[in-house]
Amino acid sequence: MSVMTEALERISIYCELSEPDRPREEIEKKLNFFPFQLSDEAYDFYQWAGAPVGMRWPDDDDCSYSSSTYSCALERFLGNASDLIEFVSIEEAERYYPLSIEDSKYLPFVSYENGLLAIAGSETPVANSPVIQLEEGSDYLWFPSLTNMMLAIAESLETVGTILPDFDYHNEDYRTNKYREKIQEQLQVVEAIAIKYGSPRGAILTN
């Protein structure tokens, strides 16, 4: 069992997964538009039953969420940022791709208001590949590997129960110092976990 598979199994404990893992052949077929190879860990991720799949907005002209075919187990861990951050399915990545000539080796992975996180493609088969932040025409290392990012997510869920600690304005304790101290402590824990797994900015997901 790969380290990625172990990380995904740890995350799965906190998810409600009803679909079976997808075969690699299905993922390879969906990636026909991407002219580079993904790392073994990326295939492990997209085969996982909790990985993003489908289209959030199937038709470009249809803004009705009722027609969505999208699902992703990680969405429930985004808290108040669920409207701002999206794990990108392969189907949606095809809509984004290519981002630009310069970014053609990157497969969109997470979308947020000002940019993307992307998985680096390769000319040859590789076991691991970095997660890159693409923002305002620049790219930055986000995690040294997709596995490291999933390990950070797993440990954050096990430690604080979320990957994006934030204030819940509906919580009756919202205005208390104790509640604010709790959120600040959670933020510090998640930052330390992200740094532990190689995030230069001490963040698992941008928001």
Side-chain angles (χ1 to χ4, degrees):
M1 181 184 295
S2 69
V3 177
M4 170 61 95
T5 301
E6 291 176 358
L8 295 175
E9 286 192 353
R10 289 166 60 188
I11 295 171
S12 295
I13 294 173
Y14 300 87
C15 305
E16 297 178 1
L17 304 179
S18 57
E19 299 295 328
D21 286 358
R22 292 178 285 277
R24 177 163 175 149
E25 294 77 14
E26 178 182 333
I27 305 305
E28 290 174 340
K29 184 177 180 179
K30 288 184 176 182
L31 283 166
N32 282 340
F33 69 92
F34 190 58
F36 298 93
Q37 297 195 44
L38 287 184
S39 57
D40 291 337
E41 63 177 357
Y43 281 108
D44 286 344
F45 174 77
Y46 284 113
Q47 288 178 252
W48 178 50
V53 63
M55 301 291 289
R56 190 177 297 266
W57 313 116
D59 300 316
D60 291 340
D61 297 328
D62 185 358
C63 293
S64 172
Y65 193 80
S66 63
S67 62
S68 173
T69 60
Y70 179 86
S71 66
C72 178
L74 296 173
E75 289 278 298
R76 63 180 297 229
F77 305 123
L78 297 179
N80 294 333
S82 59
D83 292 335
L84 304 173
I85 300 174
E86 173 191 345
F87 286 91
V88 179
S89 69
I90 295 176
E91 293 90 341
E92 292 175 320
E94 184 173 8
R95 180 177 290 179
Y96 282 110
Y97 188 84
L99 306 172
S100 69
I101 299 300
E102 293 78 11
D103 296 332
S104 62
K105 280 192 175 183
Y106 296 131
L107 183 75
F109 175 61
V110 173
S111 171
Y112 58 96
E113 188 175 11
N114 298 315
L116 293 164
L117 301 183
I119 304 170
S122 174
E123 300 281 359
T124 57
V126 292
N128 304 97
S129 54
V131 177
I132 304 296
Q133 182 188 44
L134 304 175
E135 192 170 289
E136 298 179 350
S138 300
D139 56 81
Y140 309 92
L141 178 68
W142 195 254
F143 272 98
S145 72
L146 184 59
T147 295
N148 279 36
M149 185 175 181
M150 292 302 123
L151 287 169
I153 289 176
E155 190 164 326
S156 293
L157 293 177
E158 293 164 351
T159 307
V160 300
T162 182
I163 52 178
L164 283 173
D166 197 6
F167 295 101
D168 180 359
Y169 303 107
H170 301 292
N171 190 303
E172 60 183 13
D173 297 326
Y174 167 66
R175 296 184 182 278
T176 67
N177 289 333
K178 183 177 181 180
Y179 180 74
R180 294 179 181 181
E181 289 172 0
K182 174 186 174 182
I183 299 300
Q184 290 301 323
E185 288 174 0
Q186 289 182 343
L187 287 168
Q188 292 173 0
V189 169
V190 171
E191 179 181 6
I193 290 171
I195 291 172
K196 171 183 174 181
Y197 289 104
S199 170
R201 300 195 177 190
I204 296 177
L205 287 175
T206 187
N207 61 351

